[in-house]
Amino acid sequence: QVQLAESGGGWVQPGGSLRLSCATSGFTLAYYAVGWFRQVPGKEREGVLCSYRDGRVYYADSAKGRFTISRDNAKNTFYLQGNNLNPEDSAVYYCATGLGSHCRFDRGRSVDGMEYWGKGTLVTVSQ
């Protein structure tokens, strides 16, 4: 079955960097769009980045200039690299796929429609 598992969360100082990994199984990563999402308690989950199978990337406004997404299709793993983090980036970060060609938020749709999610990894940015 389709599974996704995030790793790499933790505590980061303001201005610091993080790299999250999402290990996938049960589907061929190269064929589908995958994305990173995040949620702050009390707020809606939001899309951060979407990686399309053709190599293009969609950036939410919050991600532009500071976050990147990459994938290693041979390892069925994709990554989130965040730089110059600030406390507002503190959240639970999730990876997800809808086994389709987009990530929903890149089409102006609710992220809740993404079908497969990891369990999330907490990132805390503070002194």
Side-chain angles (χ1 to χ4, degrees):
Q1 76 259 36
V2 174
Q3 291 184 321
L4 299 96
E6 305 91 346
S7 61
W11 173 74
V12 182
Q13 286 189 325
S17 299
L18 65 79
R19 187 180 193 232
L20 305 180
S21 300
C22 180
T24 73
S25 61
F27 68 102
T28 302
L29 178 60
Y31 294 169
Y32 302 105
V34 292
W36 285 99
F37 304 76
R38 66 185 185 183
Q39 187 170 24
V40 175
K43 295 188 176 181
E44 292 187 353
R45 194 175 303 187
E46 63 175 4
V48 181
L49 297 157
C50 182
S51 169
Y52 303 115
R53 67 178 188 176
D54 64 0
R56 292 179 300 118
V57 176
Y58 178 87
Y59 297 84
D61 288 344
S62 61
K64 292 177 180 177
R66 298 188 303 120
F67 289 85
T68 58
I69 185 172
S70 61
R71 57 165 80 196
D72 186 334
N73 290 331
K75 295 182 178 180
N76 289 317
T77 301
F78 63 102
Y79 307 92
L80 169 72
Q81 176 72 38
N83 301 314
N84 192 24
L85 298 177
N86 58 61
E88 289 69 38
D89 295 314
S90 297
V92 178
Y93 284 73
Y94 298 89
C95 58
T97 184
L99 296 185
S101 61
H102 61 91
C103 298
R104 294 188 61 84
F105 72 96
D106 52 326
R107 301 285 180 90
R109 299 174 183 170
S110 170
V111 304
D112 292 337
M114 293 293 281
E115 188 168 359
Y116 301 99
W117 294 87
K119 293 181 179 180
T121 186
L122 177 64
V123 173
T124 303
V125 184
S126 68
Q127 291 287 359

